[in-house]
Amino acid sequence: MSVKGLNNIENLLENNTYPGRGIIVGKSADGKSAMIAYFIMGRSENSRNRIFERYESGMRTKAFDESKLVDPSLIIYNPYLALDNADIVTNGDQTDTVFNYIKEHGDDGYAFEKSLHTREFEPDHPNYTPRISAILKYADGDFKYKMSILKSSDGNPEVCDRYFYSYAPLCGLGHFIHTYECDGNPIPSFYGEPERVKLPNTAKELADIVWGSLNKDNKVSLFVRVVSLADGKAEEIIINKNK
């Protein structure tokens, strides 16, 4: 089945110097794998002073040079955590919120939404950076996924708008959500539904596309995870600008 009207990831990223942090989720073009990509960018020295580090049950951000770390509150967190038959990826400590809620209450099909109703956008005046999140649930040789964005209402810090999207995967189709619409001061929040993007077949192809298209001055780190729907085996790639 062909999917029409898809954006090329390259075009969306090469024409945007600062999408901020971004999540891409979907099914590979050959239909064999679930695909996840998460990237971070930075304009300040503190934001750029980071790397991704994998550990047993997840992946975390870490200061590259601990002596230069100023404020860890919004930049040090677990972007990825694994549950039984589920992957959670977000741009902040709400990864732990979703993970802990499901661990404590189970998942009645709406745990993702319920847990995120306890959170809101980041308190980083004047940007009020949105919290973006995704969860993939694996079953019967396939998967489904949900995405979310929590953001201020047109920059009003008194109001948090919460949006949720639920998808059945299609071959070659991914959904891409990022924190910012573009660069600016203050930085405008992402607007509209997650963007529909064309996905390749392999982890390396996806990593090459995303990393090669991000602004060279502002990109910081990239995490790609591709899960075989046949046997559940995963291939992961981490790229850090700081080495």
Side-chain angles (χ1 to χ4, degrees):
M1 177 179 178
S2 64
V3 180
K4 298 180 180 179
L6 301 187
N7 297 294
N8 288 318
I9 296 171
E10 303 98 308
N11 293 340
L12 294 177
L13 291 178
E14 288 173 354
N15 296 321
N16 190 345
T17 58
Y18 203 65
R21 287 164 274 175
I23 299 171
I24 300 171
V25 178
K27 182 179 272 191
S28 61
D30 59 16
K32 295 180 179 180
S33 306
M35 309 193 90
I36 302 168
Y38 175 65
F39 65 79
I40 59 173
M41 305 181 78
R43 299 191 305 178
S44 69
E45 181 180 8
N46 198 42
S47 292
R48 291 177 174 179
N49 179 37
R50 288 184 289 175
I51 58 172
F52 283 166
E53 181 180 75
R54 190 68 162 91
Y55 63 99
E56 183 176 355
S57 58
M59 188 269 292
R60 58 186 161 225
T61 61
K62 181 181 179 181
F64 175 65
D65 185 342
E66 295 284 353
S67 69
K68 295 181 179 180
L69 181 62
V70 178
D71 178 8
S73 61
L74 295 176
I75 65 169
I76 304 299
Y77 56 91
N78 296 311
Y80 165 73
L81 289 174
L83 282 163
D84 292 338
N85 301 315
D87 286 329
I88 304 165
V89 58
T90 88
N91 73 322
D93 63 12
Q94 74 269 24
T95 317
D96 297 77
T97 302
V98 177
F99 179 89
N100 292 333
Y101 186 97
I102 294 175
K103 284 292 231 182
E104 181 177 353
H105 302 283
D107 191 352
D108 61 357
Y110 297 97
F112 181 67
E113 292 87 343
K114 289 177 180 178
S115 63
L116 290 173
H117 268 87
T118 69
R119 304 302 304 271
E120 60 178 29
F121 49 85
E122 295 180 357
D124 58 335
H125 171 82
N127 299 316
Y128 304 115
T129 298
R131 292 189 186 273
I132 55 174
S133 309
I135 186 169
L136 295 81
K137 299 179 184 179
Y138 304 95
D140 303 321
D142 209 345
F143 72 107
K144 293 183 179 180
Y145 61 100
K146 295 181 179 182
M147 305 184 86
S148 170
I149 183 168
L150 316 179
K151 61 180 184 175
S152 64
S153 183
D154 295 320
N156 181 355
E158 301 300 319
V159 180
C160 179
D161 293 336
R162 296 176 175 87
Y163 300 89
F164 298 91
Y165 307 91
S166 182
Y167 300 105
L170 294 173
C171 297
L173 170 64
H175 288 92
F176 176 28
I177 194 167
H178 39 100
T179 51
Y180 305 128
E181 193 68 19
C182 57
D183 206 343
N185 190 21
I187 318 174
S189 294
F190 179 86
Y191 179 81
E193 294 185 8
E195 296 162 325
R196 291 158 48 91
V197 295
K198 185 185 300 183
L199 292 181
N201 287 324
T202 69
K204 185 180 186 305
E205 288 174 311
L206 182 57
D208 286 346
I209 290 169
V210 175
W211 190 250
S213 302
L214 289 168
N215 180 271
K216 63 181 179 63
D217 295 321
N218 295 326
K219 64 183 178 182
V220 175
S221 294
L222 170 68
F223 172 69
V224 169
R225 175 175 167 85
V226 173
V227 180
S228 168
L229 299 175
D231 57 19
K233 293 181 179 178
E235 180 182 358
E236 295 181 353
I237 295 172
I238 289 178
I239 302 175
N240 291 309
K241 186 175 181 180
N242 295 310
K243 299 180 180 179

